[in-house]
Amino acid sequence: MITQKPLFYWVLHRNRLFQFFLLLLVGLGIFFRIFPLEMQKRIINTAINLKKQNLLFLYCGLYIGAVILAGLLKYAVNVMQKHLGQKVLAEIRTGLYQHILLLPLDFFRRTQPGTVISAMSSELATIGHFIGGALVVPITGILTLLTFAGYMLHLDFRLGLVSLGVYPLELLILPVLQRRYNELNMQRIDTTRSMNDLISEAVSGIQEVRGNAGHKTESEKIAPYIAGLFSLAGRMFILKYGIKWVNNLFQNFGPFLLFLIGGYLAIHGDFTLGALVAFLSAYEKIYDPWKEIIEYYQDFQDAKVRYRRVMEYFDIVPESDGKEECFGPVKGKLEVQDLNYSINPHTQLLRSISLHLEPGEHLALVGFSGSGKSTLALLLGKLYPCGKGQIRLDGRPLHTFCRKDIARNIAFVSQHPFIFNGSIRENLLYGCRSLALLEGEEAALPMPDTSRMEEIIRETGLLDDIMRFGFDSLIDEKKQEDLLRNLYKMRMAVRQRLMKESRQAVEFYEAGHFLHYVSIYQNILFGDIRDAAFSPENIAANPRFLSLIRDTELSDTLMHLGLQLAKETVLLIGNVQDDDFFFRGTPVLPDEFDLYKEITEKVRRDKELEQADKTRILELALRYIPARHRIAAMPRSFAQKVLNARYRFIQEIGKSDVRNCLAATEEFMKGENPKIPEPAKNKNYTMFCPVQYLRSHTLLENILFGTPRQEEQIRKLRNIVADVLAGEGFSAALINAGLAFQVGSKGDRLSGGQRQKIAIARALLKESPVLIMDEATASLDNASQARIQKYTEKKLRGKTGLVAVIHRLDITSSFDRILVLREGTIVETGTYAELMEKKGIFYELARGEK
Amino acid sequence: MNLQEEKNNPAEYTDENGEEEYRSELSENMAALKNLPIFSGIPYEIIRLFAYTAVRKIFSAGDRVFRQGEMSEEAYLILSGKVRLYTETHQKSFPLQVLEAKDFFGYMALLAQYEWPLSCRVLEDTEILLLERESFRKILTKFPEKCILVAERLVQMRMKRMKEHMQVLMEEKESMEKIGNMF
């Protein structure tokens, strides 16, 4: 088991060849570091003394060559060392993560995510840093140290002995300091962990924290840990730098002794000057490896403490006891015999439960809350380790099945299922894909095909949601080419249907018509533009746009309109502006109310408006949607002016030919196939043209190619479009677009019901012989609940065994058998009719419900 | 409260040439609402909020406005056209009253949600102004003392109608059952 491997396992048993090669380089490096010393001696003693120029050049050349080589080797060793460390770190991380994910669920009930996260990320990171050099650094250090020491002893034995003699003294003091440091380090790790736990708790419970204004409470909770870390860090630094200081002190004793004794010897001619220089150099060089060894010692201690702390925490045997076997698919016969389960000696949750489930049989577990229904369901799903007694699946004890078998044969849906960040498709296929990964390629079950996916999506009531997501999505132009290619066809089909059924439902984007259901801004631009200068926020101050509306005599009209809108809004809702409800019929946004009020005040007092005010007024006019903002009226000549402005905009700024679009629109409205016009010269502009894909619009808007006239009709329109698409064979494309919807972290962009339905669909897609549902439909509305109920009853009975924990008793009538639990024991068993007949506990419960 | 004269209504739009004069939908709604008995004695400013939050809807001949048994959400003022009220029992429908422009009906929906006791279908292309209960409640919370008056009017109107029906009942004892179904 990974957690029992000592730290040095990773050093000694991994990447041996690589390490050997590394050591070889290190040995070479040491040679090239000692070689220059010899050269120094020879330069002085031989070359300079004997005045031999040739020798001087030769020795100097060799000196510099050796220095460069030593440097290069050091560089290579450093890089390789870090590489090795990271490689081992990756291995430890992967292994530990696998291990953690297989730990008993019990472990996760008492562990905060923060602990796991900090262990996996920051604590292991320092260990990786250490492991890279775990072998190389001490070996290099000791070898270098020994070599230099030998060299020094070789130069002068007495002097060498004296100057080296100080080091052993240091070895007595350092470990004492380090031990104290380790203790503090351990405390630091524990404190950091507790702090991480608190943080992750506060973050995941942020709603509750906010709701209770708990930011102070949470800060208070964390304060002692922050203070604790602060004081620990202080004490640790005192020790750490204390160690450094001791080290430096001893270091300086060396030269002192050297000068004292060496100098004395040199004066008396017992020692050559060259030798003294070499000696000093050697002494200087000996300092580096020594320092490295000391640092290594500190790092080693730190890494050891961290490693032990991490591994200790997760040193739990994964649930499997090694006796598990994989048997493959089962029929799904479940038997429970005399099952007891308790969380501690005093709290027994289940007492002598016995039951059996034939393959394809449907069993309901009902009872008071706290009666142990969910516990039983979890035990059957092997999500809790089996207590006393036995659970058998197809005659074999449940605990002898390997995890893969359990996952394949038992599908479990809990009351509050987890949804992963990613697309709906990824979530739906989570179970199938995981199994496929475990099975290996050849044995893999076929992944559900499109029609199977569609069936399950429909049966679980997800189809509407997914189609809506699809309709509201922006098309990914690269991935959904089939949609793009057929867009015009879809538009046409939908339009023809609308012409038949609800002529007035949509205001189409007709290039030659003033549009009442879009803003004046959209009316003039009549297209998508990817240029921030023309965005709704900036356009009112854009000189090119301003000159365009001046030329089309729109400036004054728009200013007039903007002022009317502002005045009317202020007058109308001045007394009720604290309620956003009243802003539904005005282009003024609630937070802009005061600003526009100020402007209207200025106008009332006949004050000159500033340029900024005028911009705001123009902005308001451009936001005006005639059919929605009915507080202002629109003069007839206005529509014509807006159209003129539109044509000029398309021509001058969009650099497109409006005539092509007019022709295409006309053919579209007639139901003919237009030819595709040339793309706009301005690459950032796309006109609302029936043959164009509109980038900033959703799929539904793109297919409708217009604006729904009434908000409440969108639902109806969606159904019509879905129906038309189904008729034309585009359903799959729409569903695919919806399946690509990103659900957000923990699925928070989905409603509770949608999350639940996805979880049910995810379980059904596995097609396992046993399905366990723990109040899986409790948070669904009645219609969805009934739909799923009907599906399990009609399609799963006789095929998939079902154990369902159910709260609402009226839906248990379709089950083959009902077990009534109370205080951990089964008190009644029978069909709905039998139990009602019996007039026992179930009958009382059912009556209470009514 | 500052009561504005309708002449100064800024929603009446004069374009810069002063040639054409258009009325906004708001002022048209206003004109339709201000003479309703339920708004008599109510400040202009509040009626304007009703006019502002009212929704116009155009129905084609044969469209159903609401159906017996559906939950009531809004009151209706016919602007133009005609509608018929009828009851539906055992798949048979009994035509009742025909309502036309300026008729205001379903107004108890402003006070409470209930199941429509009868259905309503338009007889010709009809434009109806819808007053939603949600809007009514919003306005009510802003001007409680004034809107209590409106509520009072609504109940009074209802009582008056009931009295009329009682009279009809007394006069036509034979058709008691039929009309009884109306309520």
Side-chain angles (χ1 to χ4, degrees):
Chain A
M1 207 166 64
I2 186 167
T3 49
Q4 304 212 318
K5 286 177 183 154
L7 178 55
F8 262 84
Y9 167 86
W10 302 103
V11 181
L12 298 173
H13 291 80
R14 282 290 188 274
N15 309 297
R16 285 181 169 162
L17 192 69
F18 192 87
Q19 298 231 27
F20 175 74
F21 187 61
L22 203 55
L23 280 177
L24 214 64
L25 290 186
V26 167
L28 267 175
I30 294 171
F31 171 76
F32 283 114
R33 275 164 81 181
I34 198 134
F35 187 73
L37 296 188
E38 185 58 26
M39 287 304 108
Q40 277 179 8
K41 194 179 108 190
R42 289 192 185 187
I43 289 169
I44 296 171
N45 283 355
T46 317
I48 299 178
N49 234 355
L50 301 177
K51 300 204 164 60
K52 285 195 174 159
Q53 206 176 311
N54 283 350
L55 277 181
L56 179 70
F57 289 152
L58 176 68
Y59 291 148
C60 282
L62 285 174
Y63 174 88
I64 195 71
V67 168
I68 290 172
L69 264 177
L72 280 176
L73 282 170
K74 176 95 187 156
Y75 170 70
V77 167
N78 275 342
V79 171
M80 285 168 71
Q81 215 173 287
K82 290 290 167 241
H83 171 79
L84 179 69
Q86 291 308 312
K87 200 170 158 200
V88 174
L89 176 64
E91 213 175 314
I92 300 181
R93 274 202 177 131
T94 318
L96 187 62
Y97 192 49
Q98 278 291 326
H99 172 79
I100 293 174
L101 291 182
L102 290 178
L103 288 180
L105 287 176
D106 230 25
F107 170 81
F108 294 95
R109 294 206 182 89
R110 55 188 154 81
T111 305
Q112 286 278 349
T115 304
V116 183
I117 294 166
S118 73
M120 285 292 301
S121 52
S122 57
E123 281 165 32
L124 279 185
T126 30
I127 297 169
H129 182 74
F130 164 76
I131 284 175
L135 219 50
V136 176
V137 172
I139 290 179
T140 325
I142 290 167
L143 276 182
T144 325
L145 200 68
L146 288 179
T147 318
F148 283 113
Y151 182 69
M152 279 160 77
L153 290 173
H154 156 77
L155 281 176
D156 187 290
F157 190 72
R158 283 165 303 166
L159 212 51
L161 216 54
V162 171
S163 44
L164 291 171
V166 293
Y167 286 106
L169 277 178
E170 205 181 333
L171 289 179
L172 293 176
I173 303 170
L174 281 184
V176 180
L177 293 174
Q178 187 63 43
R179 208 168 305 133
R180 180 77 195 117
Y181 181 85
N182 286 355
E183 280 164 23
L184 291 174
N185 197 12
M186 239 180 273
Q187 283 181 34
R188 180 197 60 80
I189 293 173
D190 292 347
T191 317
T192 314
R193 238 173 230 175
S194 310
M195 188 175 79
N196 285 344
D197 288 351
L198 266 179
I199 295 172
S200 71
E201 193 181 50
V203 170
S204 38
I206 191 69
Q207 277 189 359
E208 210 58 36
V209 174
R210 276 287 157 76
N212 293 306
H215 50 281
K216 266 268 179 301
T217 319
E218 291 304 316
S219 302
E220 226 162 68
K221 274 198 221 161
I222 209 170
Y225 294 105
I226 294 179
L229 278 180
F230 172 67
S231 105
L232 276 172
R235 281 185 279 163
M236 283 169 75
F237 282 124
I238 289 175
L239 280 171
K240 188 168 183 176
Y241 290 106
I243 292 169
K244 235 188 183 131
W245 177 76
V246 170
N247 198 19
N248 279 337
L249 187 71
F250 278 99
Q251 188 56 43
N252 289 326
F253 275 127
F256 161 73
L257 292 171
L258 206 61
F259 277 117
L260 200 67
I261 302 167
Y264 180 85
L265 289 176
I267 290 171
H268 288 83
D270 286 351
F271 207 50
T272 65
L273 204 59
L276 188 61
V277 171
F279 214 97
L280 271 173
S281 290
Y283 197 84
E284 209 174 279
K285 294 253 158 67
I286 215 169
Y287 176 65
D288 277 344
W290 177 256
K291 200 180 80 190
E292 271 171 28
I293 291 172
I294 296 295
E295 272 169 10
Y296 170 78
Y297 173 69
Q298 286 184 299
D299 284 351
F300 170 55
Q301 293 292 326
D302 183 50
K304 203 170 76 181
V305 169
R306 284 172 191 262
Y307 184 79
R308 215 168 41 210
R309 233 20 188 184
V310 170
M311 290 308 181
E312 267 169 16
Y313 197 87
F314 300 111
D315 190 19
I316 297 165
V317 184
E319 236 161 51
S320 61
D321 51 6
K323 288 181 220 145
E324 294 177 335
E325 267 181 83
C326 293
F327 304 107
V330 298
K331 290 207 180 65
K333 183 181 163 78
L334 258 180
E335 292 156 292
V336 178
Q337 226 162 41
D338 212 19
L339 181 71
N340 287 285
Y341 187 75
S342 43
I343 37 172
N344 60 46
H346 311 291
T347 325
Q348 192 162 13
L349 295 182
L350 292 176
R351 247 172 248 150
S352 41
I353 299 275
S354 296
L355 62 89
H356 67 96
L357 178 83
E358 291 299 319
E361 200 181 10
H362 285 189
L363 189 71
L365 299 177
V366 303
F368 305 87
S369 26
S371 60
K373 298 169 299 206
S374 289
T375 311
L376 181 56
L378 287 165
L379 282 167
L380 292 177
K382 212 191 167 197
L383 291 169
Y384 276 167
C386 183
K388 279 182 206 139
Q390 232 177 17
I391 303 175
R392 289 168 169 275
L393 179 60
D394 273 24
R396 292 198 190 89
L398 193 66
H399 66 263
T400 60
F401 281 86
C402 68
R403 215 176 300 273
K404 187 177 74 188
D405 271 356
I406 297 292
R408 166 190 262 188
N409 292 317
I410 301 178
F412 192 95
V413 191
S414 70
Q415 194 179 355
H416 303 289
F418 193 87
I419 302 296
F420 297 91
N421 193 2
S423 67
I424 293 183
R425 178 192 296 277
E426 281 160 4
N427 269 291
L428 286 178
L429 292 177
Y430 188 81
C432 298
R433 194 160 285 158
S434 304
L435 274 177
L437 257 177
L438 282 179
E439 293 276 2
E441 268 169 38
E442 64 285 5
L445 300 159
M447 291 292 261
D449 57 11
T450 319
S451 66
R452 171 77 183 145
M453 288 275 278
E454 236 186 279
E455 182 198 341
I456 292 297
I457 289 168
R458 185 174 294 112
E459 299 291 1
T460 48
L462 268 173
L463 192 64
D464 273 1
D465 300 295
I466 285 177
M467 289 207 293
R468 201 169 66 240
F469 289 140
F471 278 140
D472 291 346
S473 68
L474 297 175
I475 302 175
D476 184 332
E477 283 173 81
K478 285 191 195 95
K479 285 191 198 151
Q480 287 159 296
E481 274 185 358
D482 54 331
L483 266 180
L484 278 188
R485 220 176 311 117
N486 294 310
L487 186 59
Y488 184 76
K489 241 170 146 181
M490 293 186 201
R491 268 181 191 158
M492 197 64 116
V494 166
R495 207 196 103 75
Q496 275 161 3
R497 174 78 168 269
L498 286 177
M499 282 293 109
K500 260 186 259 155
E501 280 177 25
S502 25
R503 219 161 234 290
Q504 289 301 314
V506 173
E507 182 184 54
F508 292 101
Y509 294 143
E510 285 181 80
H513 286 66
F514 178 85
L515 304 177
H516 289 82
Y517 288 81
V518 305
S519 62
I520 303 304
Y521 168 80
Q522 281 280 281
N523 255 303
I524 297 177
L525 265 70
F526 204 71
D528 285 340
I529 190 153
R530 282 185 300 176
D531 182 346
F534 289 97
S535 72
E537 300 81 41
N538 300 330
I539 198 158
N542 180 331
R544 279 181 80 191
F545 182 76
L546 290 178
S547 93
L548 185 133
I549 55 171
R550 207 170 317 117
D551 293 352
T552 46
E553 294 171 2
L554 258 178
S555 297
D556 292 341
T557 320
L558 284 174
M559 283 309 284
H560 203 79
L561 174 67
L563 263 179
Q564 293 290 349
L565 286 164
K567 271 193 214 163
E568 181 65 15
T569 304
V570 170
L571 196 71
L572 194 63
I573 61 175
N575 289 323
V576 292
Q577 49 121 337
D578 51 334
D579 192 341
D580 289 0
F581 173 83
F582 292 103
F583 283 86
R584 290 202 302 198
T586 166
V588 176
L589 301 175
D591 58 343
E592 297 171 335
F593 184 84
D594 291 334
L595 187 119
Y596 284 108
K597 191 175 175 181
E598 231 170 80
I599 297 177
T600 51
E601 276 298 296
K602 280 189 197 168
V603 175
R604 207 170 55 88
R605 290 207 221 102
D606 276 334
K607 273 208 218 157
E608 188 67 25
L609 285 184
E610 288 162 35
Q611 192 50 47
D613 294 336
K614 287 184 183 161
T615 308
R616 298 310 294 260
I617 291 291
L618 179 57
E619 220 177 280
L620 198 60
L622 288 174
R623 254 191 253 157
Y624 170 65
I625 301 172
R628 304 233 184 284
H629 305 138
R630 292 155 311 195
I631 51 175
M634 204 191 66
R636 228 166 271 140
S637 57
F638 182 62
Q640 193 50 52
K641 284 180 192 168
V642 169
L643 279 182
N644 290 341
R646 175 190 298 174
Y647 298 148
R648 300 259 316 242
F649 188 93
I650 292 172
Q651 210 113 50
E652 290 164 25
I653 295 164
K655 304 256 189 283
S656 309
D657 193 346
V658 73
R659 280 165 305 177
N660 280 340
C661 190
L662 283 169
T665 309
E666 200 174 315
E667 281 166 70
F668 172 69
M669 297 307 269
K670 270 194 243 152
E672 289 161 10
N673 279 331
K675 63 172 191 289
I676 293 159
E678 289 166 37
K681 297 237 171 47
N682 180 348
K683 289 275 170 273
N684 289 326
Y685 180 77
T686 318
M687 215 190 312
F688 290 163
C689 197
V691 287
Q692 294 280 12
Y693 163 62
L694 312 177
R695 270 198 200 89
S696 68
H697 286 51
T698 64
L699 181 58
L700 181 68
E701 290 164 339
N702 256 300
I703 295 176
L704 287 179
F705 192 64
T707 321
R709 285 205 163 88
Q710 277 166 351
E711 294 274 329
E712 63 269 25
Q713 279 201 327
I714 290 182
R715 202 187 145 74
K716 192 177 145 200
L717 282 171
R718 226 186 263 134
N719 290 340
I720 292 179
V721 175
D723 196 41
V724 173
L725 292 195
E728 301 278 321
F730 294 128
S731 277
L734 174 63
I735 291 174
N736 274 335
L739 283 174
F741 178 76
Q742 293 291 318
V743 300
S745 127
K746 292 183 192 167
D748 61 1
R749 292 169 70 192
L750 302 171
S751 72
Q754 287 165 342
R755 282 199 285 268
Q756 197 73 52
K757 285 186 267 184
I758 288 178
I760 295 170
R762 177 162 72 193
L764 290 176
L765 280 170
K766 282 209 298 190
E767 296 193 71
S768 53
V770 179
L771 176 63
I772 300 175
M773 293 169 94
D774 183 2
E775 297 203 28
T777 56
S779 60
L780 297 180
D781 56 79
N782 285 346
S784 310
Q785 195 167 26
R787 181 198 284 270
I788 289 168
Q789 182 76 16
K790 204 176 119 201
Y791 176 74
T792 50
E793 196 187 321
K794 295 266 178 319
K795 298 276 174 66
L796 296 187
R797 187 182 297 222
K799 193 178 129 204
T800 304
L802 171 66
V803 179
V805 175
I806 289 176
H807 221 85
R808 270 182 52 185
L809 299 186
D810 55 325
I811 53 177
T812 55
S813 56
S814 66
F815 281 76
D816 296 319
R817 224 144 19 94
I818 301 167
L819 299 185
V820 186
L821 273 88
R822 191 165 69 181
E823 289 169 16
T825 47
I826 295 173
V827 286
E828 276 179 16
T829 314
T831 63
Y832 186 82
E834 284 164 13
L835 290 175
M836 288 306 273
E837 182 77 13
K838 196 174 161 194
K839 295 214 157 62
I841 295 166
F842 183 82
Y843 176 77
E844 288 299 324
L845 272 173
R847 263 193 5 165
E849 200 171 73
K850 274 168 199 156
Chain B
M1 264 168 220
N2 176 25
L3 299 188
Q4 278 266 233
E5 284 292 316
E6 202 185 8
K7 275 179 198 160
N8 297 339
N9 181 358
E12 253 166 57
Y13 189 94
T14 316
D15 90 38
E16 69 270 30
N17 304 321
E19 286 167 1
E20 300 159 285
E21 206 175 82
Y22 296 94
R23 294 170 85 190
S24 68
E25 205 179 292
L26 172 69
S27 26
E28 280 176 20
N29 291 352
M30 190 62 206
L33 287 179
K34 69 175 183 198
N35 294 325
L36 283 182
I38 62 159
F39 291 128
S40 76
I42 302 297
Y44 201 82
E45 187 197 359
I46 299 174
I47 310 178
R48 271 170 58 83
L49 277 177
F50 282 107
Y52 169 60
T53 51
V55 179
R56 242 163 224 259
K57 229 174 178 172
I58 296 171
F59 294 87
S60 322
D63 284 355
R64 197 173 357 226
V65 183
F66 54 78
R67 184 186 196 149
Q68 193 172 325
E70 276 176 0
M71 296 314 281
S72 64
E73 296 298 338
E74 57 231 341
Y76 305 89
L77 173 66
I78 302 177
L79 297 174
S80 65
K82 275 189 184 126
V83 307
R84 178 185 285 288
L85 301 177
Y86 57 99
T87 61
E88 287 174 287
T89 34
H90 312 296
Q91 268 105 43
K92 273 188 196 165
S93 64
F94 300 92
L96 300 166
Q97 218 172 344
V98 172
L99 300 170
E100 51 193 26
K102 292 189 181 166
D103 277 336
F104 184 52
F105 62 104
Y107 42 81
M108 291 310 273
L110 291 177
L111 297 180
Q113 192 179 45
Y114 53 87
E115 281 180 20
W116 287 121
L118 27 78
S119 300
C120 173
R121 214 187 259 284
V122 302
L123 298 173
E124 55 194 60
D125 286 0
T126 298
E127 192 171 17
I128 301 182
L129 194 62
L130 277 59
L131 297 181
E132 291 164 343
R133 183 171 56 250
E134 192 196 355
S135 313
F136 180 76
R137 291 236 165 118
K138 288 276 182 191
I139 300 168
L140 185 80
T141 53
K142 297 290 169 195
F143 307 95
E145 70 286 1
K146 294 295 174 194
C147 286
I148 281 295
L149 274 178
V150 179
E152 217 169 88
R153 299 275 139 71
L154 287 170
V155 176
Q156 284 163 354
M157 277 162 68
R158 187 79 214 122
M159 290 315 283
K160 199 173 139 218
R161 284 282 286 163
M162 206 150 107
K163 211 166 141 194
E164 285 166 20
H165 286 310
M166 294 291 274
Q167 222 115 48
V168 174
L169 280 174
M170 309 259 261
E171 282 160 19
E172 299 176 40
K173 282 182 187 164
E174 298 88 62
S175 53
M176 223 167 119
E177 254 185 73
K178 198 155 112 193
I179 298 176
N181 280 339
M182 266 173 78
F183 309 99

